Amino acid sequence: MVEVRLESVSKRFGRVVALHEVTLTFEDGSFTAILGPSGSGKTTLLYLIAGIYKPSSGRIYFGDRDVTNMPPNKRNVGLVFQNYALYPHMTVYDNIAFPLRLKKLPRDEIDRRVREVAKLLHIEELLERYPSQLSGGQQQRVAMARALVKQPDVLLLDEPLSNLDALLRIKIRAELKRLQKDLGITTIYVTHDQSEALALADRIVVIDRGRIQQVGTPDEVYARPRNLFVAGFIGSPPANLIPAKIVARSGSACVAIGDTVYCPDKPLSEKLARFQEVIVAFRPEHATLGEEPAENMVSIEAEVYTVETLGKENIVTLLVGATPVKVVVEPSVRPQPGSKLFINVEPEKLMFFDPETELNIEYIEV
Ligand SMILES: Nc1ncnc2c1ncn2[C@@H]1O[C@H](COP(=O)(O)OP(=O)(O)OP(=O)(O)O)[C@@H](O)[C@H]1O
Ligand SMILES: [Mg+2]
């Protein structure tokens, strides 16, 4: 268990800047998800912490120790690769024992620790099998066991569940969360799946194109996305984004979304007054549909485009002008494509972004 700290860490591969000036602290015993799309620098970040890569600039600390130039085998990290990378010619037992044999631990201690971690991950029955004789979920547990058997200070997981089917992912994800809490190992979990990050982590680091976009609890990144990228990446479906104009009404700044004009109170109206245009955002699950504008709501007229029936809910796509907007509704709500409806949103659920900097104006100081 240890605190991991990155100070202004950059990593370049020739001309490609894979990570740009990343400064981050992973608290002792915390569970952090690194969330971003393909190519955003997630694996690079993990390999820098593991010591597989050296930073082009910046420093990395484990507690008080500067590990920037320390080789991987000295760092006591457990790493689970995306493809598990089990040794195919070794049994499960030997795969798990491998890191301990490298350390030349006594035979009986190796045996004790292998059996202990196998029990923890419910794979005691599989110890004599070869990786090819295991299901994906079982291989995943073996890879996890091999990382944990070293009793690492830091556990690094690179999309460990991405090869599993949806049901198994949800099952293992819950077990993983419990295991991490029980063991208390500082854990860094890489994923491109926002629902996985929200479900698992105490804290989420959202990354795009090598730059950190936001660091926050699952609640914070969901409720107060720092910029348009985070708003459009978190949530399923992600937040709706509608271009709008700022207009003056009796001396204060209001937002015109199509024919709808919404006039917020201070301090929001003061912030809005600096813009000519903004992007209005709200989450599909925060809106309702009605034949009429609803009282005390912001009501936006729209035309129904399609309805997707998902069993526990429906997703209605509507057009506001030319902009598609999604609203999550009860399974019984199935409006006719082509019909006109009002999208009703509580004003508190609206978010506003600067179209140029893409920042949430909530984060702008007045
Ligand atoms: N060894 C390398 N040489 C050159 N470029 C690299 C190397 N490793 C990564 N990159 C580049 O750095 C960027 C970040 O790559 P990285 O593997 O960290 O992304 P990722 O977020 O893990 O993506 P994915 O979700 O697809 O695994 C990409 O543009 C990638 O092409
Ligand atoms: Mg990767």
Side-chain angles (χ1 to χ4, degrees):
M1 271 180 270
V2 69
E3 178 190 275
V4 176
R5 199 151 46 84
L6 282 75
E7 275 183 13
S8 232
V9 170
S10 295
K11 179 65 180 171
R12 289 181 287 277
F13 297 104
R15 287 193 171 172
V16 177
V17 182
L19 275 185
H20 183 80
E21 308 230 326
V22 169
T23 296
L24 268 178
T25 302
F26 302 92
E27 275 174 34
D28 191 355
S30 63
F31 194 149
T32 307
I34 309 288
L35 174 67
S38 187
S40 55
K42 306 183 297 294
T43 298
T44 304
L45 182 63
L46 221 54
Y47 284 9
L48 284 163
I49 296 168
I52 295 171
Y53 292 158
K54 266 197 187 167
S56 308
S57 58
R59 314 298 304 175
I60 300 174
Y61 299 88
F62 284 9
D64 299 332
R65 281 185 306 161
D66 184 336
V67 301
T68 312
N69 293 310
M70 193 183 275
N73 58 358
K74 294 265 156 58
R75 296 195 187 191
N76 199 25
V77 297
L79 175 61
V80 177
F81 292 91
Q82 181 163 359
N83 57 4
Y84 316 142
L86 299 175
Y87 306 112
H89 58 285
M90 289 185 197
T91 62
V92 167
Y93 185 100
D94 290 337
N95 263 284
I96 300 173
F98 189 78
L100 303 182
R101 290 194 177 128
L102 276 187
K103 285 191 180 178
K104 305 215 165 30
L105 291 189
R107 219 192 166 110
D108 52 339
E109 183 175 355
I110 293 180
D111 189 64
R112 186 179 56 74
R113 278 166 65 169
V114 169
R115 291 185 190 284
E116 201 175 87
V117 77
K119 194 165 170 224
L120 188 70
L121 289 158
H122 308 292
I123 50 174
E124 306 112 293
E125 268 77 70
L126 306 176
L127 289 173
E128 301 315 317
R129 291 208 209 164
Y130 286 87
S132 62
Q133 300 167 320
L134 302 177
S135 73
Q138 290 167 337
Q139 291 184 43
Q140 196 275 337
R141 283 156 199 263
V142 176
M144 194 78 81
R146 190 177 57 182
L148 286 173
V149 79
K150 290 189 284 186
Q151 301 172 347
D153 291 325
V154 183
L155 182 62
L156 304 172
L157 305 166
D158 195 352
E159 309 229 14
L161 309 185
S162 59
N163 293 342
L164 308 182
D165 69 60
L167 266 181
L168 197 55
R169 267 211 306 267
I170 288 172
K171 181 164 174 273
I172 294 191
R173 156 174 121 182
E175 289 178 18
L176 188 63
K177 184 161 186 171
R178 179 61 202 257
L179 188 68
Q180 195 275 338
K181 284 280 165 281
D182 288 350
L183 299 177
I185 301 175
T186 309
T187 301
I188 305 173
Y189 184 103
V190 159
T191 180
H192 62 266
D193 181 341
Q194 55 88 29
S195 64
E196 209 165 275
L198 290 170
L200 272 171
D202 307 321
R203 204 174 56 134
I204 299 179
V205 175
V206 185
I207 179 172
D208 183 41
R209 286 176 286 175
R211 289 166 194 264
I212 291 180
Q213 305 295 318
Q214 186 167 8
V215 179
T217 63
D219 289 345
E220 282 162 357
V221 295
Y222 175 82
R224 302 181 68 213
R226 231 186 129 260
N227 59 28
L228 280 177
F229 176 81
V230 179
F233 199 71
I234 302 269
S236 172
N240 292 304
L241 309 175
I242 308 175
K245 294 207 179 327
I246 301 301
V247 293
R249 286 284 185 285
S250 37
S252 86
C254 301
V255 189
I257 312 161
D259 297 333
T260 306
V261 176
Y262 164 57
C263 295
D265 296 332
K266 288 180 193 173
L268 183 56
S269 64
E270 285 177 348
K271 289 186 182 180
L272 288 171
R274 311 165 167 207
F275 298 95
Q276 262 124 48
E277 293 176 348
V278 289
I279 309 278
V280 176
F282 60 88
R283 299 208 168 270
E285 58 274 28
H286 289 162
T288 54
L289 295 177
E291 310 253 323
E292 304 292 334
E295 224 171 296
N296 300 323
M297 300 258 212
V298 175
S299 296
I300 307 165
E301 194 169 14
E303 183 181 317
V304 177
Y305 187 69
T306 50
V307 183
E308 294 161 67
T309 51
L310 305 181
K312 77 171 162 66
E313 65 199 17
N314 294 341
I315 298 175
V316 182
T317 305
L318 307 100
L319 292 175
V320 174
T323 309
V325 169
K326 291 186 189 295
V327 178
V328 175
V329 297
E330 296 284 305
S332 59
V333 180
R334 297 182 186 199
Q336 273 301 316
S339 58
K340 294 264 199 284
L341 288 178
F342 286 89
I343 301 170
N344 297 315
V345 193
E346 284 174 41
E348 303 80 66
K349 299 291 189 191
L350 293 177
M351 303 179 271
F352 304 92
F353 295 84
D354 177 352
E356 274 178 22
T357 63
E358 304 198 342
L359 280 177
N360 188 338
I361 71 169
E362 201 184 324
Y363 287 87
I364 297 173
E365 305 284 323
V366 185

